[in-house]
């Protein structure tokens, strides 16, 4: 068990299971992209460890770029604005693979997809380490999902709680305590 700030977590997915799941999606990607040279677009911060492990299984030529999709509170009229920061390559006519840590409601991913489609990519696919299918509220076609998980909050393997806990090789699930 680990404690981060006010929360306790217990191991839910071991590193070797994560590794096996990544190598499975990598095999499928190796077949699908054999003669292509896609651009992997890894979304910071959460995907940095997944991206590092994934690319070491890939046998096709590819480029990788890191970008941040951050939300900030806009004016009252615009509400919550999402902006893609740091993508400074031209993706016109490129095959793009988005590399994400986790898809929860899917809202972040669908906003990101719309943004990338506007930039003229030839194809866009999603590779995510984790997904909570029961929480998905939008229609998303996720081609490469390494691991499906229930609706619990998790940390480790790149994912954080309030900025902490990204360094753990295993994935941990929050333990909910009853109020006493
Ligand atoms: P969505 O827009 O799909 O609801 O939210 C996706 C984002 O929420 C992820 O990129 C991630 O930052 C955050 N998120 C969702 N579920 C979890 C979780 O269980 N643990 C952590 N650490 N972040 C999560
Ligand atoms: Mg993320």
């Amino acid at each position: 068990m680990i404690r981060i700030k006010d929360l306790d977590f217990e191991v839910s997915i071991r590193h070797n299971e994560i590794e096996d799941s990544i190598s499975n999606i990598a095999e499928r990607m190796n077949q699908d992209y054999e003669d292509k040279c896609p651009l992997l677009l890894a979304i910071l911060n959460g995907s940095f460890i997944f991206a590092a492990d994934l690319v070491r299984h890939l046998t096709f030529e590819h480029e990788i770029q890191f970008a941040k999709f951050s939300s900030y509170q806009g004016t009252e009229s615009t509400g919550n604005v999402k902006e893609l920061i740091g993508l400074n390559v031209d993706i016109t006519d490129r095959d793009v693979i988005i590399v994400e840590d986790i898809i929860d409601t899917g809202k972040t991913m669908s906003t990101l997809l719309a943004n990338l489609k506007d930039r003229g990519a030839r194809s866009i696919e999603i590779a995510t380490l984790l997904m909570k299918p029961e929480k998905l509220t939008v229609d998303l076609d996720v081609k490469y999902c390494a691991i499906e998980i229930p609706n619990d909050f998790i940390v480790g393997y790149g994912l954080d709680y309030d900025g902490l806990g990204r360094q753990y090789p295993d994935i941990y699930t929050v333990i909910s305590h009853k109020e006493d």
Side-chain angles (χ1 to χ4, degrees), residues 9 43-46 69 82 100-111 130 132 135-138 140 149-156 158-162 164 166 172:
F9 295 84
I43 307 303
L44 293 171
N45 294 322
F69 199 54
K82 294 230 173 202
E100 243 304 20
D101 53 355
I102 186 163
I103 296 174
D104 191 78
T105 63
K107 284 180 187 158
T108 306
M109 186 53 78
S110 56
T111 313
L130 299 152
K132 300 177 186 171
K135 283 195 77 179
L136 203 62
T137 59
V138 294
L140 262 192
I149 58 168
N151 287 349
D152 307 308
F153 185 75
I154 54 108
V155 295
L159 289 103
D160 72 306
Y161 170 48
D162 209 10
L164 302 176
R166 296 191 194 273
Y172 291 77

Side-chain angles (χ1 to χ4, degrees), residues 88-101:
N88 44 23
V89 291
D90 184 8
I91 65 165
T92 313
D93 293 331
R94 296 292 306 266
D95 295 306
V96 176
I97 306 171
I98 302 171
V99 179
E100 243 304 20
D101 53 355

Side-chain angles (χ1 to χ4, degrees), residues 24-150:
N24 285 341
I25 60 165
E27 256 174 55
R28 288 171 45 218
M29 292 167 78
N30 287 337
Q31 289 171 5
D32 297 346
Y33 290 91
E34 197 182 356
D35 302 316
K36 296 177 178 157
C37 181
L39 172 72
L40 270 62
L41 179 60
I43 307 303
L44 293 171
N45 294 322
S47 74
F48 76 115
I49 292 178
F50 171 44
D53 281 347
L54 175 68
V55 294
R56 283 178 285 182
H57 289 281
L58 301 182
T59 52
F60 54 88
E61 286 296 326
H62 63 273
E63 290 175 53
I64 183 161
Q65 285 277 327
F66 291 83
K68 193 155 188 162
F69 199 54
S70 58
S71 58
Y72 61 92
Q73 212 58 44
T75 63
E76 258 175 62
S77 56
T78 52
N80 202 4
V81 182
K82 294 230 173 202
E83 196 184 29
L84 189 62
I85 301 165
L87 179 60
N88 44 23
V89 291
D90 184 8
I91 65 165
T92 313
D93 293 331
R94 296 292 306 266
D95 295 306
V96 176
I97 306 171
I98 302 171
V99 179
E100 243 304 20
D101 53 355
I102 186 163
I103 296 174
D104 191 78
T105 63
K107 284 180 187 158
T108 306
M109 186 53 78
S110 56
T111 313
L112 179 58
L113 276 176
N115 180 306
L116 292 176
K117 278 176 186 155
D118 284 347
R119 296 171 189 243
R122 178 192 299 148
S123 70
I124 307 173
E125 298 295 351
I126 301 166
T128 188
L129 174 68
L130 299 152
M131 189 167 167
K132 300 177 186 171
E134 290 164 30
K135 283 195 77 179
L136 203 62
T137 59
V138 294
D139 190 21
L140 262 192
D141 183 13
V142 181
K143 193 154 188 188
Y144 311 103
C145 170
I147 306 170
E148 294 190 350
I149 58 168

